[in-house]
Amino acid sequence: MWLRFVQGIGVGGEVPVAAAYINELSVAQGRGRFFMLYEMIFPLGLMISAQIGALVVPSFGWKWMFLIGGIGGLIVFLFFFKLRESPRWLISKGRFDEAERVIEEIESSTDKRIEAKISAPQAVVKGNWKELFSPFYRSRTLIVWTLWFSSYFVANGLNNWLPSLYKTVYNLPLEDSLHAASLTNVIQTVAVFACALLIDRVGRKRWATIAFLVVGLLLTTLWFNGAKSAESVMYLASAAYGVMGTITVLLYLYTPEIYPTRMRVLGIAFATAWLRLASAIAPTILGFVLGAKGITSVFVLFACVAAVGAFMAFKMIETREKVLEDIAP
């Protein structure tokens, strides 16, 4: 338990930094596609680990999954030494010469010029978490917090709950339960790839709003048909998880966009804390609702949370094709 706690600190700290880093290195035109293709790493990793787990756990036990994950973590650690610092972050600290060298290195590997706003000297301003609640950023902060909580309540609730549901409610063998659960990750991978190709055309706000509504419709359908079979749950809930997966990934693109460099990592770190809270309380709430009201009530709960997410997504600001400094001064 303590080792998993430490691991959570490491991964939890890396995720917001990575999101801010990739966002700051992206140019305005095509930033959504570039970032979302990078974010494909998440669903691909989930899909691959689920498939490996379905093969390894029944044959060798669950401990081998920790070994596989540990080896992967050590390999990634070595890659960090090859990274260059974010030019935007260097500028925010007044280290203009270093920023210029990094920008020149980036430009030498492409035929595109970096936006002039990045290389121009700017006043050095230190970020403060209190600015998240300043008049300009308060509504943005509250909206993204709600989006993070609602999307991950549904996504992680489904992802963590479905394997045990197949086994305990529908009495599927362990191997069949793991394979059925892995279908959700396959669908998510396909959905996120489609999102990556279309996000700069559709826009962040419209995609998130429609996706939340689709998830709510799929889960409401499960409530109407009573989730009578493992097959209906497998296909409808997996589809809902796949569509919701596009939102969870999209938020890693959108959240860094709406904050300036001086508080970009702060903004996404506080926002991702709500996904941890949602992931922590969802199993408890699901267990209570399942025991008190039955399986269909759980899908109603998910649908209601998705409806809240759709309402808040409609209030998002559109950031498509805009320079970061224009979105968040």
Side-chain angles (χ1 to χ4, degrees), residues 192-262:
V192 171
F193 182 70
C195 180
L197 297 180
L198 298 173
I199 191 62
D200 283 325
R201 295 183 181 181
V202 177
R204 284 67 155 155
K205 176 179 178 178
R206 186 182 301 173
W207 184 283
T209 303
I210 294 174
F212 268 119
L213 291 174
V214 170
V215 170
L217 179 62
L218 291 168
L219 295 171
T220 302
T221 302
L222 272 174
W223 172 62
F224 273 119
N225 71 17
K228 296 178 180 179
S229 66
E231 287 74 18
S232 64
V233 173
M234 186 186 308
Y235 294 120
L236 291 174
S238 295
Y241 175 80
V243 176
M244 185 61 77
T246 66
I247 302 175
T248 59
V249 174
L250 174 61
L251 288 174
Y252 281 104
L253 163 67
Y254 177 75
T255 305
E257 288 180 325
I258 63 173
Y259 294 113
T261 301
R262 64 183 178 275

Side-chain angles (χ1 to χ4, degrees), residues 39-107:
E39 285 288 318
M40 282 289 296
I41 295 171
F42 281 95
L44 281 172
L46 287 171
M47 181 183 69
I48 293 172
S49 62
Q51 297 296 330
I52 294 175
L55 296 173
V56 171
V57 174
S59 301
F60 302 101
W62 56 268
K63 290 184 178 181
W64 281 87
M65 292 302 295
F66 284 97
L67 177 62
I68 295 171
I71 293 173
L74 291 174
I75 293 173
V76 171
F77 174 74
L78 297 176
F79 288 156
F80 286 140
F81 294 99
K82 302 293 292 183
L83 293 178
R84 300 293 182 266
E85 188 53 81
S86 161
R88 282 184 164 97
W89 182 84
L90 290 170
I91 290 172
S92 72
K93 300 300 180 183
R95 295 158 61 176
F96 303 116
D97 292 339
E98 294 178 64
E100 184 64 30
R101 287 195 294 270
V102 175
I103 291 173
E104 289 175 355
E105 186 176 343
I106 295 174
E107 287 181 336

